[in-house]
Amino acid sequence: MMDLLNAKGIKTTHGLELYVDLIKNIKIKELSIPTVTNPFYEVKFEIDYLLLEEHKYYDHQQNYFWIVMNENLSLITLKEPEMQSLFGVKNEEEREATKQLLGEWLIKTTAYKKAITRYLNEFEQNNTRIEETQRAKKTVQFLKKLLELKTTDIEKALIEKPVYS
């Protein structure tokens, strides 16, 4: 059964997007660590939600976004993927509402915290000698920093649109 008390809705031109705090609705799909060509920590989240459209019952949606941090974990950016962006096909007002949803609701949900904790536990199990590698230690710090994000961190973040080749 869905707990609608832990749900959040956003009205868009396409219908009402309904986000529910269920563990199965939020997943980490990718994690990137800094390299010479990309000096950022990046984590790609998959978000499942319901789109309630007029004259339809509902439509299950699955979209993505990235949380990106610089190497010293002090600057946060939200990044859109090229395909299935959580911010895609939305006007500026709807994009701001989505950003507000991420800051005021998503980062505080049980599902978000469980997704990160699960990924962190798997990472630590697969990297038993973390203390020996600086990259692994910094990756653990990044994942723990994601658990500590505050609403203002997300509100201050820029939304980076994809660059098409």
Side-chain angles (χ1 to χ4, degrees), residues 1-106:
M1 176 165 200
M2 281 195 280
D3 183 358
L4 292 180
L5 294 176
N6 291 326
K8 176 82 173 172
I10 297 176
K11 180 91 171 101
T12 70
T13 54
H14 300 286
L16 178 67
E17 294 179 0
L18 185 61
Y19 297 84
V20 181
D21 182 6
L22 293 173
I23 293 169
K24 67 178 185 155
N25 289 353
I26 300 171
K27 298 171 197 78
I28 292 179
K29 297 307 283 181
E30 288 180 48
L31 177 77
S32 300
I33 59 174
T35 63
V36 174
T37 57
N38 183 26
F40 300 100
Y41 289 93
E42 302 179 326
V43 63
K44 184 179 187 180
F45 286 94
E46 174 185 288
I47 308 293
D48 294 357
Y49 61 94
L50 299 174
L51 178 61
L52 307 172
E53 297 178 89
E54 203 170 320
H55 307 297
K56 279 190 173 181
Y57 181 56
Y58 70 89
D59 188 17
H60 176 262
Q61 298 287 307
Q62 189 175 68
N63 285 313
Y64 303 87
F65 77 100
W66 294 84
I67 293 179
V68 179
M69 286 189 206
N70 60 355
E71 282 188 88
N72 63 7
L73 307 178
S74 62
L75 182 65
I76 298 170
T77 304
L78 303 176
K79 188 169 96 174
E80 293 185 60
E82 289 184 18
M83 304 284 292
Q84 290 182 275
S85 170
L86 189 63
F87 297 96
V89 299
K90 292 181 178 174
N91 63 36
E92 280 307 310
E93 188 177 297
E94 294 165 353
R95 291 169 68 80
E96 275 305 309
T98 302
K99 184 177 172 181
Q100 188 175 7
L101 168 97
L102 297 176
E104 292 179 0
W105 180 78
L106 178 76

Side-chain angles (χ1 to χ4, degrees), residues 147-161:
L147 289 170
E148 299 167 1
L149 289 178
K150 298 190 178 7
T151 300
T152 55
D153 297 327
I154 301 297
E155 288 173 348
K156 292 179 193 175
L158 296 175
I159 301 172
E160 186 180 303
K161 293 183 180 187

